[in-house]
Amino acid sequence: MRVGALEAGGTKMVCAVVEVDGGTSWEILERVSIPTKTPQETIPAMVDFFKGKGIEALGIACFGPVDLHRDSPTYGFITTTPKAGWANCDIVGPFREALGVPVGFDTDVNGSLLGEATFGGAKGLENSVYITIGTGVGAGIMSNGRLLHGMLHPEAGHVTLKRHETDRDFACNCPFHDSCFEGLAAGPAIEKRWGRKGTELAGRPEVWELEAYYIAQALLDYIMVLSPEKIILGGGVMHQPQLLPLIREEVRRQINGYIRTAQMENPDEYITEASLGDDQGILGACCLATEAKACHYSS
Ligand code: ADP
Ligand code: ZN
């Protein structure tokens, strides 16, 4: 089946036309990246890209918060984002109207997790978590085989973390919380704390030890609450190769022997990087499209 896939981000919109064959294989036929300007400029440019491409459905994996409730009058809207111009923006409607195909919709991180669960490292598992640590922090969650939505959708990047004793005076970078995961550990928090971008701090072990301390605390909470069978980490900050081993070690230290499972004995397979080479988001959007087609979502 030929589908459209949109990975909608705060800096860029990745649009692709993909040929998918069930949950087994895929071919990305065409892909463009469109800068995220205003909805008035950017949405028509994306619609134009997908028009006339013969797609049978479209999947949108979108930055949030978003309204995922199909019976809500604002279903398919980006809701309260601080991203200028995009608050209360209908991102599903214009595509459905212009393209006349079913449109699937979920958060960007649920999309990435769905990609990994369909084609990648979380394939065959019913319980998994995908965390992105980049400009912000977000997590997609699959629980008993279904992406978790709930009241809104998980906002696991804003869980409260205990400060490291060396970091008590740092002013948390989140405008809503004084000690949350995103505010202490996302890329902009690293830059604020150390006065340089993460990319320029590779040779400073204390930066990544503190980072691992915070990330591991959040992972510990996810492990205790959700009991995932695999945890996948993505996003720009995870491009620091020394970070993942530090996180695994710190998770093991903080769990302190309390949980004893085969997965915990094998942290290299339990806590991993994304397996689809940064295509997990676009491939997850494809899965949202095929699901929408199968469910006949037309409104
Ligand atoms: P976004 O979250 O906007 O989609 P990314 O996932 O690429 O984009 O995250 C961007 C953030 O990650 C920035 O704060 C950037 O400084 C940080 N970042 C990107 N690459 C690296 C790297 N190699 N090491 C550390 N931090 C990085
Ligand atoms: Zn916060």
Side-chain angles (χ1 to χ4, degrees):
M1 189 195 311
R2 182 167 300 191
V3 299
L6 165 58
E7 193 183 1
T11 46
K12 64 182 194 295
M13 301 284 185
V14 181
C15 306
V17 176
V18 185
E19 194 72 39
V20 274
D21 180 9
T24 53
S25 67
W26 72 90
E27 186 185 357
I28 298 176
L29 302 174
E30 199 181 334
R31 166 168 20 199
V32 296
S33 178
I34 297 173
T36 307
K37 295 181 183 161
T38 64
Q40 294 72 24
E41 286 173 273
T42 310
I43 292 177
M46 294 190 284
V47 167
D48 280 351
F49 169 80
F50 288 114
K51 257 189 189 157
K53 300 270 162 74
I55 61 171
E56 291 184 52
L58 174 71
I60 304 177
C62 188
F63 70 99
V66 290
D67 187 346
L68 301 174
H69 289 287
R70 295 201 143 266
D71 54 358
S72 159
T74 53
Y75 168 75
F77 281 48
I78 297 168
T79 57
T80 55
T81 178
K83 174 86 187 158
W86 290 85
N88 306 311
C89 168
D90 181 5
I91 185 142
V92 168
F95 289 100
R96 204 167 44 210
E97 280 151 33
L99 303 172
V101 296
V103 178
F105 184 54
D106 214 312
T107 62
D108 47 4
V109 276
N110 266 347
S112 291
L113 178 56
L114 187 57
E116 288 286 338
T118 309
F119 300 112
K123 193 168 178 168
L125 301 179
E126 293 215 322
N127 298 279
S128 51
V129 178
Y130 178 94
I131 301 140
T132 183
I133 308 169
T135 306
V137 177
I141 295 166
M142 183 170 281
S143 183
N144 287 347
R146 300 190 61 181
L147 293 173
L148 189 60
H149 292 160
M151 172 186 71
L152 171 70
H153 44 71
E155 280 288 354
H158 293 266
V159 291
T160 301
L161 302 183
K162 183 174 71 180
R163 293 290 182 122
H164 192 272
E165 58 188 14
T166 60
D167 194 46
R168 294 208 197 286
D169 297 332
F170 175 67
C172 182
N173 204 35
C174 173
F176 296 95
H177 310 116
D178 62 16
S179 204
C180 78
F181 185 5
E182 178 172 301
L184 295 179
I190 297 175
E191 189 176 346
K192 183 174 166 188
R193 181 184 293 108
W194 303 98
R196 287 167 154 223
K197 282 195 184 308
T199 42
E200 297 164 18
L201 292 162
R204 301 270 300 273
E206 67 275 26
V207 172
W208 309 107
E209 281 160 17
L210 183 64
E211 193 65 13
Y213 174 77
Y214 286 135
I215 296 169
Q217 272 191 60
L219 264 47
L220 195 78
D221 286 348
Y222 307 158
I223 291 168
M224 297 304 183
V225 175
L226 300 164
S227 204
E229 296 156 287
K230 188 177 277 270
I231 296 175
I232 300 170
L233 291 156
V237 172
M238 290 309 301
H239 289 146
Q240 286 293 322
Q242 69 273 46
L243 188 52
L244 191 55
L246 290 172
I247 294 169
R248 291 185 185 121
E249 197 183 305
E250 187 60 22
V251 166
R252 191 190 265 268
R253 192 187 69 79
Q254 293 185 20
I255 285 188
N256 199 20
Y258 181 67
I259 292 185
R260 293 174 190 270
T261 59
Q263 289 90 340
M264 294 308 307
E265 293 304 316
N266 201 351
D268 290 4
E269 283 181 28
Y270 184 50
I271 302 173
T272 67
E273 58 199 353
S275 68
L276 296 167
D278 280 344
D279 280 344
Q280 58 274 10
I282 213 73
L283 294 176
C286 290
C287 302
L288 295 173
T290 52
E291 266 179 32
K293 175 82 178 170
C295 298
H296 308 288
Y297 290 163
S298 57
S299 60

Coordinates of all heavy atoms in Angstrom, one line a residue, residues 109-166:
V109 N 6.2 11.0 19.6 CA 6.9 9.9 20.3 C 6.1 8.6 20.3 O 6.8 7.6 20.1 CB 7.3 10.3 21.8 CG1 8.6 11.1 21.8 CG2 6.1 11.1 22.4
N110 N 4.8 8.7 20.3 CA 4.1 7.4 20.1 C 4.3 6.9 18.7 O 4.4 5.7 18.4 CB 2.6 7.7 20.3 CG 2.1 7.3 21.7 OD1 2.8 6.7 22.5 ND2 0.9 7.7 22.1
G111 N 4.4 7.9 17.7 CA 4.7 7.5 16.3 C 6.1 6.8 16.3 O 6.2 5.7 15.7
S112 N 7.1 7.3 16.9 CA 8.4 6.7 16.8 C 8.4 5.3 17.5 O 9.0 4.4 17.0 CB 9.5 7.6 17.5 OG 9.7 8.7 16.8
L113 N 7.7 5.2 18.6 CA 7.6 3.9 19.2 C 6.8 2.9 18.3 O 7.3 1.8 18.2 CB 6.8 4.1 20.6 CG 6.6 2.8 21.3 CD1 8.0 2.0 21.6 CD2 5.9 3.0 22.7
L114 N 5.8 3.4 17.7 CA 5.1 2.5 16.8 C 6.0 2.0 15.6 O 5.9 0.8 15.2 CB 3.8 3.2 16.2 CG 2.8 2.4 15.4 CD1 2.3 1.2 16.2 CD2 1.7 3.3 15.0
G115 N 6.8 2.9 15.1 CA 7.8 2.5 14.1 C 8.7 1.4 14.6 O 8.9 0.4 14.0
E116 N 9.2 1.6 15.8 CA 10.1 0.6 16.4 C 9.4 -0.7 16.8 O 10.0 -1.8 16.7 CB 10.8 1.2 17.7 CG 11.8 2.3 17.5 CD 13.1 1.7 16.9 OE1 13.4 0.5 17.1 OE2 13.9 2.5 16.3
A117 N 8.1 -0.6 17.2 CA 7.4 -1.8 17.6 C 6.9 -2.5 16.3 O 6.6 -3.7 16.4 CB 6.2 -1.4 18.4
T118 N 6.8 -1.9 15.2 CA 6.4 -2.6 14.0 C 7.6 -3.1 13.2 O 7.5 -4.3 12.7 CB 5.6 -1.6 13.1 OG1 4.6 -1.0 13.9 CG2 4.9 -2.4 11.9
F119 N 8.6 -2.3 13.0 CA 9.7 -2.7 12.1 C 11.0 -2.8 12.9 O 12.0 -3.3 12.3 CB 9.9 -1.6 11.1 CG 8.7 -1.4 10.2 CD1 8.0 -0.2 10.2 CD2 8.3 -2.4 9.3 CE1 6.9 0.0 9.4 CE2 7.2 -2.2 8.4 CZ 6.5 -1.0 8.5
G120 N 11.2 -2.4 14.1 CA 12.5 -2.2 14.7 C 12.7 -3.0 16.0 O 12.2 -4.1 16.1
G121 N 13.4 -2.4 16.9 CA 13.9 -3.1 18.1 C 12.8 -3.5 19.1 O 13.1 -4.3 19.9
A122 N 11.6 -3.0 19.0 CA 10.5 -3.4 19.9 C 9.5 -4.3 19.3 O 8.4 -4.5 19.8 CB 9.9 -2.1 20.5
K123 N 9.9 -4.8 18.1 CA 9.0 -5.7 17.4 C 8.6 -6.9 18.2 O 9.4 -7.5 18.8 CB 9.6 -6.1 16.1 CG 8.7 -6.8 15.1 CD 9.3 -6.9 13.7 CE 8.3 -7.6 12.8 NZ 8.8 -7.6 11.4
G124 N 7.3 -7.2 18.2 CA 6.8 -8.4 19.0 C 6.6 -8.1 20.4 O 6.1 -9.0 21.1
L125 N 7.0 -7.0 20.9 CA 6.8 -6.7 22.4 C 5.5 -5.9 22.6 O 5.1 -5.1 21.8 CB 7.9 -5.9 22.9 CG 9.3 -6.5 22.8 CD1 10.4 -5.5 23.4 CD2 9.4 -7.8 23.5
E126 N 4.8 -6.2 23.7 CA 3.5 -5.5 24.0 C 3.7 -4.3 24.9 O 2.8 -3.5 25.1 CB 2.6 -6.5 24.6 CG 2.1 -7.6 23.6 CD 0.7 -8.0 23.8 OE1 0.3 -8.1 25.0 OE2 0.0 -8.3 22.8
N127 N 4.9 -4.2 25.5 CA 5.1 -3.2 26.5 C 6.5 -2.5 26.3 O 7.5 -3.2 26.5 CB 5.0 -3.7 27.9 CG 3.6 -4.3 28.2 OD1 2.7 -3.6 28.5 ND2 3.5 -5.6 28.1
S128 N 6.5 -1.3 25.8 CA 7.8 -0.7 25.5 C 7.6 0.8 25.7 O 6.5 1.4 25.7 CB 8.2 -1.0 24.1 OG 7.2 -0.8 23.2
V129 N 8.8 1.5 25.8 CA 8.8 2.9 26.0 C 9.8 3.5 25.0 O 10.9 2.9 24.9 CB 9.1 3.3 27.4 CG1 9.2 4.9 27.6 CG2 8.1 2.8 28.4
Y130 N 9.5 4.6 24.3 CA 10.4 5.3 23.5 C 10.6 6.7 24.0 O 9.6 7.4 24.2 CB 9.9 5.4 22.0 CG 10.8 6.2 21.1 CD1 11.8 5.5 20.4 CD2 10.7 7.6 21.0 CE1 12.6 6.2 19.5 CE2 11.6 8.3 20.2 CZ 12.5 7.6 19.5 OH 13.4 8.3 18.6
I131 N 11.8 7.1 24.3 CA 12.1 8.4 24.9 C 12.9 9.2 24.0 O 14.0 8.7 23.5 CB 12.8 8.3 26.3 CG1 11.9 7.5 27.2 CG2 13.0 9.7 26.9 CD1 12.7 6.5 28.1
T132 N 12.5 10.5 23.7 CA 13.4 11.3 22.9 C 13.9 12.4 23.8 O 13.2 13.0 24.6 CB 12.7 11.9 21.7 OG1 13.6 12.7 21.0 CG2 11.5 12.8 22.1
I133 N 15.2 12.6 23.8 CA 15.9 13.7 24.5 C 16.6 14.6 23.5 O 17.6 14.3 23.0 CB 16.9 13.1 25.6 CG1 16.2 12.0 26.4 CG2 17.5 14.2 26.5 CD1 17.1 11.2 27.2
G134 N 15.9 15.7 23.2 CA 16.4 16.6 22.2 C 16.1 18.1 22.7 O 16.5 18.4 23.8
T135 N 15.4 18.9 21.9 CA 15.0 20.2 22.3 C 14.1 20.1 23.5 O 14.1 20.9 24.4 CB 14.3 20.9 21.2 OG1 15.2 20.9 20.1 CG2 14.1 22.4 21.5
G136 N 13.3 19.1 23.5 CA 12.4 18.8 24.7 C 12.7 17.3 25.0 O 13.5 16.6 24.5
V137 N 11.9 16.8 26.0 CA 11.9 15.4 26.3 C 10.5 14.9 26.2 O 9.5 15.5 26.7 CB 12.4 15.1 27.8 CG1 12.4 13.7 28.1 CG2 13.9 15.6 27.9
G138 N 10.3 13.8 25.6 CA 8.9 13.2 25.5 C 9.0 11.7 25.5 O 10.1 11.1 25.1
A139 N 8.0 11.0 25.8 CA 8.0 9.6 25.8 C 6.7 9.0 25.1 O 5.6 9.5 25.4 CB 8.2 9.0 27.2
G140 N 6.9 8.0 24.3 CA 5.8 7.3 23.7 C 5.7 6.0 24.5 O 6.7 5.4 24.9
I141 N 4.5 5.5 24.8 CA 4.3 4.3 25.6 C 3.4 3.3 25.0 O 2.3 3.7 24.5 CB 3.8 4.7 27.0 CG1 4.8 5.6 27.8 CG2 3.4 3.5 27.8 CD1 4.3 6.3 29.0
M142 N 3.8 2.1 24.9 CA 2.9 1.0 24.5 C 2.7 0.1 25.7 O 3.6 -0.3 26.3 CB 3.5 0.2 23.3 CG 2.6 -0.9 22.8 SD 3.2 -1.7 21.3 CE 2.7 -0.4 20.1
S143 N 1.4 -0.1 26.0 CA 1.0 -0.9 27.1 C 0.0 -2.0 26.7 O -1.0 -1.6 26.1 CB 0.4 0.1 28.2 OG 0.1 -0.6 29.3
N144 N 0.4 -3.2 27.0 CA -0.5 -4.3 26.6 C -0.8 -4.2 25.1 O -2.0 -4.5 24.7 CB -1.7 -4.4 27.4 CG -1.4 -4.9 28.8 OD1 -0.3 -5.4 29.1 ND2 -2.3 -4.8 29.7
G145 N 0.1 -3.9 24.3 CA 0.0 -3.9 22.8 C -0.7 -2.6 22.2 O -0.9 -2.6 21.0
R146 N -1.0 -1.7 23.1 CA -1.7 -0.5 22.5 C -0.9 0.8 22.9 O -0.4 0.9 24.1 CB -3.1 -0.3 23.0 CG -4.0 -1.5 22.6 CD -5.4 -1.3 22.9 NE -5.9 -0.1 22.2 CZ -7.2 0.3 22.3 NH1 -8.0 -0.3 23.1 NH2 -7.5 1.4 21.6
L147 N -0.9 1.8 22.0 CA -0.2 3.0 22.4 C -1.1 3.7 23.5 O -2.3 3.7 23.4 CB -0.2 4.0 21.2 CG 0.8 3.5 20.1 CD1 0.7 4.4 18.9 CD2 2.3 3.5 20.6
L148 N -0.4 4.2 24.5 CA -1.2 4.8 25.6 C -1.5 6.2 25.3 O -0.7 7.0 24.9 CB -0.3 4.7 26.9 CG -0.9 5.1 28.2 CD1 -2.1 4.2 28.5 CD2 0.2 5.0 29.3
H149 N -2.8 6.5 25.5 CA -3.3 7.9 25.3 C -3.8 8.4 26.6 O -3.3 9.4 27.2 CB -4.4 8.0 24.2 CG -3.9 7.7 22.9 ND1 -4.8 7.3 21.8 CD2 -2.7 7.7 22.3 CE1 -4.0 7.1 20.7 NE2 -2.8 7.4 21.0
G150 N -4.9 7.9 27.1 CA -5.5 8.3 28.4 C -6.2 9.6 28.3 O -6.7 10.0 27.3
M151 N -6.1 10.3 29.4 CA -6.8 11.6 29.6 C -6.4 12.6 28.5 O -7.2 13.2 27.8 CB -6.4 12.2 31.0 CG -6.9 13.6 31.2 SD -6.2 14.2 32.8 CE -4.5 14.4 32.5
L152 N -5.0 12.7 28.3 CA -4.5 13.6 27.2 C -3.6 12.7 26.4 O -4.0 12.1 25.4 CB -3.7 14.7 27.9 CG -2.8 15.6 27.0 CD1 -3.7 16.5 26.1 CD2 -1.9 16.5 27.8
H153 N -2.4 12.5 26.8 CA -1.4 11.5 26.3 C -0.3 11.6 27.3 O -0.2 12.7 28.0 CB -0.9 11.7 24.9 CG -0.6 13.2 24.5 ND1 0.5 13.8 25.0 CD2 -1.3 14.1 23.8 CE1 0.5 15.0 24.6 NE2 -0.5 15.2 23.9
P154 N 0.6 10.6 27.5 CA 1.6 10.8 28.5 C 2.5 12.0 28.2 O 2.7 12.4 27.1 CB 2.4 9.5 28.3 CG 1.5 8.5 27.7 CD 0.6 9.3 26.8
E155 N 2.9 12.6 29.3 CA 3.8 13.8 29.2 C 5.0 13.4 30.1 O 5.3 14.2 31.1 CB 3.1 15.1 29.7 CG 2.2 15.7 28.6 CD 3.1 16.4 27.5 OE1 4.3 16.4 27.6 OE2 2.4 16.8 26.5
A156 N 5.6 12.3 29.8 CA 6.6 11.7 30.7 C 7.9 12.5 30.8 O 8.8 12.2 31.5 CB 6.8 10.2 30.3
G157 N 8.0 13.5 29.9 CA 9.2 14.3 30.0 C 9.1 15.3 31.1 O 10.1 16.0 31.4
H158 N 8.0 15.4 31.8 CA 7.9 16.4 32.9 C 7.7 15.7 34.2 O 7.2 16.3 35.2 CB 6.7 17.3 32.6 CG 7.0 18.2 31.4 ND1 7.5 19.4 31.5 CD2 6.9 17.9 30.1 CE1 7.7 20.0 30.3 NE2 7.3 19.1 29.4
V159 N 8.2 14.4 34.3 CA 8.2 13.8 35.7 C 9.2 14.6 36.5 O 10.2 15.1 36.0 CB 8.6 12.3 35.6 CG1 7.4 11.5 35.0 CG2 9.9 12.1 34.9
T160 N 8.9 14.6 37.8 CA 9.8 15.3 38.8 C 11.0 14.5 39.1 O 10.9 13.3 39.4 CB 9.0 15.6 40.1 OG1 7.9 16.4 39.7 CG2 9.9 16.4 41.1
L161 N 12.2 15.1 39.1 CA 13.4 14.4 39.4 C 14.0 15.0 40.7 O 13.9 16.2 40.9 CB 14.4 14.5 38.3 CG 13.9 13.9 36.9 CD1 15.0 14.0 35.9 CD2 13.4 12.5 37.1
K162 N 14.7 14.1 41.4 CA 15.5 14.6 42.6 C 16.8 15.2 42.1 O 17.5 14.6 41.2 CB 15.8 13.4 43.4 CG 16.5 13.6 44.7 CD 16.6 12.4 45.5 CE 17.6 11.4 44.9 NZ 17.8 10.1 45.6
R163 N 17.1 16.4 42.6 CA 18.4 17.1 42.2 C 19.6 16.3 42.6 O 19.7 15.8 43.8 CB 18.4 18.4 42.9 CG 17.4 19.4 42.4 CD 17.7 19.8 41.0 NE 16.7 20.8 40.6 CZ 17.0 22.0 40.1 NH1 18.3 22.4 40.0 NH2 16.1 22.9 39.7
H164 N 20.6 16.3 41.8 CA 21.9 15.9 42.2 C 22.5 16.9 43.2 O 22.2 18.1 43.0 CB 22.8 15.7 41.0 CG 24.1 15.0 41.3 ND1 25.2 15.6 41.7 CD2 24.4 13.7 41.2 CE1 26.2 14.7 41.9 NE2 25.7 13.5 41.6
E165 N 23.3 16.4 44.1 CA 23.7 17.4 45.2 C 24.6 18.5 44.6 O 24.7 19.6 45.2 CB 24.5 16.6 46.3 CG 25.6 15.8 45.8 CD 26.2 14.9 46.9 OE1 25.6 14.8 47.9 OE2 27.3 14.4 46.7
T166 N 25.2 18.2 43.4 CA 26.1 19.3 42.8 C 25.3 20.2 41.9 O 25.8 21.1 41.3 CB 27.1 18.6 41.9 OG1 26.5 17.9 40.9 CG2 28.0 17.7 42.7

